[in-house]
């Protein structure tokens, strides 16, 4: 059932009800209702079978512990907040950049997640990370209309028509960012705010973005965050400075089938003039992605080299 079938406040309460001791279980229950269980499994860099096994184990653990599925209040609600934020974050991300299928963007998922983030921030006005998540999603949502072309093809950030970015959403994001803190969602919102503030792609404050990703790595160590930091470093200091960072990530088991790793590496190699190597990386990335639009984009980049 889509989130739009109930009120936003009820939806937030529903998310709290299904939050469990294990974030994997809470996410899986939510995404089952909106039909994206397989995609969220990939967002965890795990197979759907692995996620299903974790759900079964979590259910058994909750049953043994006698944990009730109810709306938490007071300190219990605060303790569960991080799980609820992650549910909303993952649902938005799947809408913003679909991991599989024929469409790059699934706007309905973004709209539902953004609505929940706004309501959650309103319900918890003293919680900085609730405002941080709301700010992040407002900034990201402002660019959705420009992320694809007339035929649904992906449009890279450098090529997007910034005059079409939604200024109202950017202003909402800036207001929410003003109430955010220093947590992971707040730092990501600050990164998104840097992009939103740049009138032209060339005006982007890449050194600040690289520094913010450095801070994010300290808050939530992750190979995916490290990869994003490498991209920012490549723009701030050049591709030669970033290539060793990306090469080091190639040894990460979690990124073995992650298509953005060879995609980023291909981009760096192309900028360094190593065309044959870049072509091979783009082709490998195309073989790994399950999104048809991304595959076409990657094969097109390979063919032009």
């Amino acid at each position: 059932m889509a989130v739009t079938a109930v009120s936003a406040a009820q939806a937030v309460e529903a998310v709290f009800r299904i939050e469990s001791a294990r974030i994997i279980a809470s996410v899986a229950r939510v995404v089952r209702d909106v039909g994206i269980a397989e995609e969220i499994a990939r967002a965890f860099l795990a197979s759907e079978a692995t996620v299903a096994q974790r759900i079964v184990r979590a259910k058994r653990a909750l049953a043994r512990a006698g944990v009730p599925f109810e709306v938490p209040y007071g300190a219990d609600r605060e303790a569960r907040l991080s799980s609820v934020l992650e549910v909303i974050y993952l649902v938005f991300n799947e809408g913003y950049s679909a991991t599989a299928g024929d469409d790059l963007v699934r706007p309905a998922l973004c709209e539902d997640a953004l609505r929940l983030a706004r309501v959650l921030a309103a319900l918890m006005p003293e919680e900085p990370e609730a405002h941080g998540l709301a700010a992040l999603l407002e900034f990201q949502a402002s660019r959705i209309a420009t992320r694809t072309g007339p035929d649904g093809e992906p449009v890279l950030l450098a090529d997007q028509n910034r005059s079409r970015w939604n200024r109202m959403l950017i202003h909402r994001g800036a207001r929410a960012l003003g109430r955010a803190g220093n947590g992971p969602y707040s730092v990501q919102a600050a990164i998104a705010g840097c992009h939103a503030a740049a009138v032209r792609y060339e005006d982007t404050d890449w050194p600040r973005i690289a520094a913010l990703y450095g801070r994010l790595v300290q808050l939530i160590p992750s190979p995916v965050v490290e990869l994003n930091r490498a991209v920012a470093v490549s723009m701030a200091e050049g591709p030669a400075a970033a290539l060793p960072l990306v090469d080091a990530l190639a040894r990460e088991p979690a990124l073995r089938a992650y298509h953005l790793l060879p995609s980023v590496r291909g981009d760096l190699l192309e900028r360094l003039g190593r065309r044959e190597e870049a072509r091979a990386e783009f082709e490998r990335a195309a073989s790994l992605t399950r999104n048809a639009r991304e595959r076409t984009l990657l094969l097109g980049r390979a063919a032009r080299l």
Side-chain angles (χ1 to χ4, degrees), residues 101 122 137 196 243 283:
L137 302 196
L243 187 58
E283 290 173 348

Side-chain angles (χ1 to χ4, degrees), residues 62-83:
L62 291 170
R64 287 195 300 269
V67 177
F69 286 95
E70 60 186 8
V71 181
Y73 294 96
D76 194 22
R77 175 174 287 201
E78 294 289 341
R80 298 188 186 187
L81 176 63
S82 63
S83 295

Side-chain angles (χ1 to χ4, degrees), residues 210-277:
L212 287 168
Y213 270 120
R215 189 188 307 172
L216 189 61
V217 167
Q218 295 177 342
L219 293 171
I220 46 171
S222 157
V224 174
V225 177
E226 289 278 14
L227 184 61
N228 283 320
R229 185 175 78 89
V231 172
V233 168
S234 80
M235 300 305 298
E237 303 176 24
L243 187 58
L245 303 177
V246 174
D247 287 344
L249 291 173
R251 295 188 289 271
E252 288 283 347
L255 298 185
R256 190 168 294 134
Y258 190 56
H259 74 283
L260 291 180
L261 178 62
S263 175
V264 169
R265 191 168 190 274
D267 181 75
L268 298 179
L269 291 168
E270 180 182 8
R271 290 161 61 190
L272 288 169
R274 295 161 60 176
R275 297 166 59 87
E276 292 296 326
E277 294 172 86

Side-chain angles (χ1 to χ4, degrees), residues 2 8 11 17 40 54 74 76 103 124-125 139 152 178-179 190 222 244 260 273:
R17 282 194 185 93
I40 295 299
R54 292 176 183 173
D76 194 22
D103 298 316
M124 308 186 78
F139 285 135
R179 304 184 67 182
S222 157
L260 291 180

Side-chain angles (χ1 to χ4, degrees), residues 6-21 25-27 29-30 33 62 67-73 76-77 80 83-84 87:
V6 294
S7 74
Q10 288 173 320
V12 170
E13 289 200 344
V15 174
F16 269 115
R17 282 194 185 93
I18 64 174
E19 193 280 327
S20 71
S26 62
V27 172
R29 283 177 176 269
V30 171
D33 289 341
L62 291 170
V67 177
F69 286 95
E70 60 186 8
V71 181
Y73 294 96
D76 194 22
R77 175 174 287 201
R80 298 188 186 187
S83 295
V84 176
V87 170

Side-chain angles (χ1 to χ4, degrees), residues 39-124:
E39 290 92 332
I40 295 299
R42 288 195 294 275
F44 278 107
L45 301 179
S47 69
E48 191 173 3
T50 298
V51 171
Q53 292 172 358
R54 292 176 183 173
I55 294 171
V56 170
R57 290 196 297 268
K59 285 180 178 178
R60 289 172 180 168
L62 291 170
R64 287 195 300 269
V67 177
F69 286 95
E70 60 186 8
V71 181
Y73 294 96
D76 194 22
R77 175 174 287 201
E78 294 289 341
R80 298 188 186 187
L81 176 63
S82 63
S83 295
V84 176
L85 293 173
E86 189 158 5
V87 170
I88 297 171
Y89 175 75
L90 289 174
V91 170
F92 183 92
N93 277 355
E94 179 55 34
Y96 190 74
S97 185
T99 53
D102 296 328
D103 298 316
L104 180 70
V105 178
R106 299 169 69 175
L109 288 179
C110 293
E111 292 168 6
D112 288 342
L114 179 56
R115 184 180 302 108
L116 292 177
R118 288 170 176 169
V119 172
L120 189 61
L123 291 175
M124 308 186 78

